[in-house]
Amino acid sequence: MNAVTRSIAYIVLAPILGGLLAGLDRIITARMQGRYGPPVLQPFYDVLKLFEKENLMVNRFHGYYLVCYLAFLIASGALFFFGEDLLMVIFVFILADIFLVVAAYSTNSPYSFIGATRELLQMLAAEPMLLISAVSLYMVTGSFEVAGIAGSGKILILYLPGVFLGLVYVLTIKLRKSPFDLSTSHHAHQELVKGLTTEFAGPSLALVEIAHWYETVLLLGIVYLFFSFNPAVGVAAALLTYFAEILIDNTNARFKWQLTLKSAWLATVALGGVNLIVMYFIFVR
Amino acid sequence: MFHYDGSSCNGCDIEVLACLTPMYDIERFGVINTGNPKHSDILLITGFVNTQNAEVVKSLYRQMPDPKVVIAVGICAATGNFFRECYNALGGVNTVIPVDVYVPGCAARPEAIIDGVIRAAGMLEEKRNMLKDRK
Ligand code: SF4
């Protein structure tokens, strides 16, 4: 499969895959709680329903911000599957998130305000680790290009176990899973109403939902990179990681933001940083 | 779905919460109890309306995007029950907003509530089509 078809496949298939993952997530979550759970296709029903609803616009802008959020998220995923520079992918990814925060701020509701502030904190907690992953992947493979990393044939997880664990740690933040679902969460009935997404109704909310599906697939794509020496192992590892995230989600209560920030940075330094230094001595010296 | 407790004896609320438990698990129909009117299609109200909460009920109803349906759970929400003579009581939920589904019972059984929610979801479909026709 060449680069162009891969990115087109991402744009078309990622929402389907992400939606299915979300549906499985809901069923597995329900089973873990001893419930029966919704049908697998429920996330799709929800989004289709949201598109048929009235779009309550709080102001003229927030719809556009959310479209930008989705567009940049798709762009960063497409760059990733095109085999482009991993740093570029991460920066576009961050930019997309910023649009979500701006959209939440623009609504002027206290709930989304706190949600947006917390999202910024979460980004602060998670981004250093993402960058360290990119840098350490570069150290081992000598390339920032996703294509180069995936094509290196090295068993990257053996070189970068610490970085991988650190990445899984912040993945919990990025996937909005408990204990780090501070800004908004998938679970019903939370404090802060719905945080970030409180003021988005109907189609706007659907955009956020779809963007989250794209996001999930992109992040699992980054997980895949660590196991890219063998595609089957890579896919299995990505799915296993997602399952681990669901498990963590269901067995942990939410952290306060202070603890989130501290623990995420601690994980970044202890797991990512140390691993990076070791790699430095092996590859650069 | 969004649950608002007007003035009830809490009996119906507990039955509503029972619907979320593993025993009844209303999420098997894809229904989630959110705390946000802007994300919900169904407004589920227990208890009667009094002078204090009438404005709240109206405001919640206004905040929900169309199409939307309202369920009145329990006799209090339907008519005011034995509270209707109270000095502060206005009556059932239908004194302030239109109600689509009434779930009888004092307290309403979880099975009946779930049945009401499923009916409400059906009405949602109808209302959606009506909105489309009007356009
Ligand atoms: S209908 Fe009965 S159980 Fe329900 S709130 Fe009223 S008094 Fe309580």
Side-chain angles (χ1 to χ4, degrees), chain B residues 8-12 47 74-76 81-83 105-107:
Chain B
S8 76
C9 79
N10 252 310
C12 284
I75 316 237
C76 286
N81 205 3
F82 36 69
F83 298 114
C106 175

Side-chain angles (χ1 to χ4, degrees), chain A residues 35 52-54 199, chain B residues 27 38-39 41 66 128:
Chain A
R35 294 185 289 115
E52 302 225 323
K53 292 204 69 147
E54 180 189 16
E199 297 296 323
Chain B
E27 202 194 345
K38 293 204 173 182
H39 289 187
D41 315 287
D66 274 324
R128 188 176 303 146

Side-chain angles (χ1 to χ4, degrees), chain B residues 45-49 57 70 72 76-79 91-99:
Chain B
I45 301 188
T46 50
F48 67 93
V49 175
V57 171
V70 178
C76 286
T79 63
V93 175
N94 56 11
T95 47
V96 281
I97 54 172
V99 174

Side-chain angles (χ1 to χ4, degrees), chain A residues 105-169:
Chain A
Y105 269 129
S106 79
T107 57
N108 253 334
S109 137
Y111 299 114
S112 15
F113 233 78
I114 299 181
T117 314
R118 288 182 166 192
E119 176 72 15
L120 282 176
L121 275 167
Q122 279 179 275
M123 286 168 68
L124 202 63
E127 305 311 351
M129 191 62 228
L130 284 181
L131 288 178
I132 285 189
S133 322
V135 172
S136 48
L137 286 170
Y138 166 76
M139 279 234 194
V140 179
T141 60
S143 163
F144 271 123
E145 313 265 298
V146 175
I149 296 170
S152 72
K154 286 186 176 154
I155 305 178
L156 291 167
I157 183 73
L158 289 183
Y159 295 92
L160 304 167
V163 173
F164 179 71
L165 287 179
L167 187 70
V168 169
Y169 197 89

